[in-house]
Amino acid sequence: MQTVHDVPALRAAIRGWHAQGQTVGLVPTMGNLHAGHFSLIKLARTRADRVVASVFVNPTQFGPSEDFERYPRTLGQDQAGLAEQGCDLLFAPEVATMYPYGAQHSVSLHVPQITDTLEGAHRPGHFDGVATVVCKLFNLVQPDLAVFGQKDFQQLKVIERMVRDLSLPVKVMAAPTQRAEDGLALSSRNQYLSDEERALAPQIHAVLAQMRELIGKGHAWRVVEQAALSKLERAGFEPDYAAIRRAADLSEPAEGERDGLVGLIAARLGKTRLIDNLLFD
Ligand code: PAF
């Protein structure tokens, strides 16, 4: 596997593949890769001739009080893992490469409506940073397809919407959430958890499963949301939200609507903020 840090080297590799008529799949990441990321690489490998992964801890998607500085940076380990998974090329740019005018002065993309709620409401500006960096990566790599994890469900929907609205020639593919045996969704942030917090963390998935069950039994979605929030608080979490939304666009369901719903939770456990979701179909 080749690792490149600058744009000319990246473009040269991609040009060579395109000239041979090969398709390119992109897996954008912030590094500190785990089995969840590797499942995205595996999916890309089944759908594209060549797979490019990017590792870039994107400053514009972190709020001022968030974990940008302490976000784990493990490039050597990531390189070894990607090579083992059969990734063809790793793009690991510096901030100045992605933001030539500086991250503060960059062109910024805003995807309206779908970013007003949930993560967007609790992390102002987060999705502007995500949309901006993903659009830049699409322009740099010019992939035929790009794979994103369903774990970041709202992010996936924001990117789908951006691609459609800007007519970007990229097929967005979703890969299912990978979980530990006890149900906890794999995430780079899980390593911040103490042993005690790690033991509590699978409750998020358990509460999502209970939400799905209650909706299946015909309970009103607002009542189910309230019950989920109380359960999380009793278990020791500080929830930002426990929400039931239409999976298609994250809008609120109508009274009695049952099909095509998703449950989404964001909750803090000590200093760590965890998110997860579950499709109810
Ligand atoms: O999901 C992530 O790791 C990031 O939000 C992404 C898509 C790589 C953009 O920085």
Side-chain angles (χ1 to χ4, degrees):
M1 184 189 71
Q2 199 188 344
T3 300
V4 298
H5 302 280
D6 61 273
V7 175
L10 172 72
R11 288 208 195 275
I14 307 279
R15 242 193 331 267
W17 294 333
H18 280 159
Q20 292 169 41
Q22 293 180 335
T23 55
V24 175
L26 171 67
V27 179
T29 81
M30 296 206 301
N32 196 238
L33 306 180
H34 49 66
H37 298 107
F38 295 144
S39 73
L40 311 186
I41 300 282
K42 274 188 206 127
L43 180 58
R45 282 191 55 204
T46 64
R47 302 299 166 95
D49 300 318
R50 297 289 184 168
V51 176
V52 176
S54 60
V55 167
F56 179 63
V57 185
N58 173 35
T60 63
Q61 69 187 76
F62 288 79
S65 58
E66 293 184 355
D67 57 348
F68 174 67
E69 296 300 340
R70 71 171 182 142
Y71 198 86
R73 288 156 172 90
T74 53
L75 191 61
Q77 198 180 300
D78 296 342
Q79 270 172 316
L82 288 168
E84 205 172 294
Q85 297 298 321
C87 178
D88 294 285
L89 187 136
L90 165 60
F91 178 50
E94 295 294 329
V95 172
T97 303
M98 293 303 289
Y99 295 104
Y101 295 98
Q104 304 296 324
H105 305 289
S106 152
V107 169
S108 179
L109 278 177
H110 178 67
V111 179
Q113 285 180 322
I114 196 164
T115 57
D116 293 344
T117 181
L118 306 170
E119 288 302 282
H122 287 272
R123 302 181 67 190
H126 168 68
F127 286 122
D128 294 357
V130 170
T132 302
V133 81
V134 170
C135 189
K136 280 168 178 273
L137 288 167
F138 285 177
N139 287 333
L140 289 166
V141 177
Q142 303 196 342
D144 298 276
L145 63 93
V147 185
F148 296 87
Q150 269 176 1
K151 153 124 186 342
D152 295 302
F153 193 79
Q154 191 174 10
Q155 168 172 284
L156 174 67
K157 294 288 144 188
V158 168
I159 290 163
E160 283 174 355
R161 197 174 159 138
M162 173 186 80
V163 163
R164 182 159 187 229
D165 210 349
L166 297 181
S167 311
L168 301 178
V170 183
K171 181 177 166 55
V172 174
M173 299 189 64
T177 303
Q178 302 295 305
R179 300 184 179 281
E181 271 183 18
D182 58 12
L184 177 64
L186 298 190
S187 162
S188 300
R189 291 188 168 106
N190 292 350
Q191 65 194 275
Y192 300 153
L193 298 169
S194 68
D195 290 349
E196 201 183 322
E197 289 165 351
R198 174 64 188 79
L200 276 177
Q203 284 297 315
I204 293 187
H205 180 57
V207 170
L208 283 165
Q210 287 161 10
M211 290 165 82
R212 177 168 66 182
E213 201 183 316
L214 291 173
I215 289 291
K217 285 183 179 160
H219 292 262
W221 64 270
R222 284 183 206 278
V223 175
V224 176
E225 283 186 351
Q226 278 311 317
L229 285 172
S230 308
K231 267 182 211 144
L232 289 167
E233 277 163 8
R234 278 199 306 274
F237 293 86
E238 279 177 66
D240 278 346
Y241 56 81
I244 295 168
R245 293 286 184 271
R246 291 184 176 128
D249 60 5
L250 298 179
S251 59
E252 289 188 355
E255 209 57 56
E257 191 173 331
R258 294 273 168 268
D259 295 336
L261 302 184
V262 60
L264 307 106
I265 287 178
R268 248 170 246 284
L269 205 43
K271 287 197 171 119
T272 311
R273 188 171 182 277
L274 300 171
I275 62 169
D276 199 358
N277 65 82
L278 195 64
L279 288 167
F280 287 176
D281 285 339

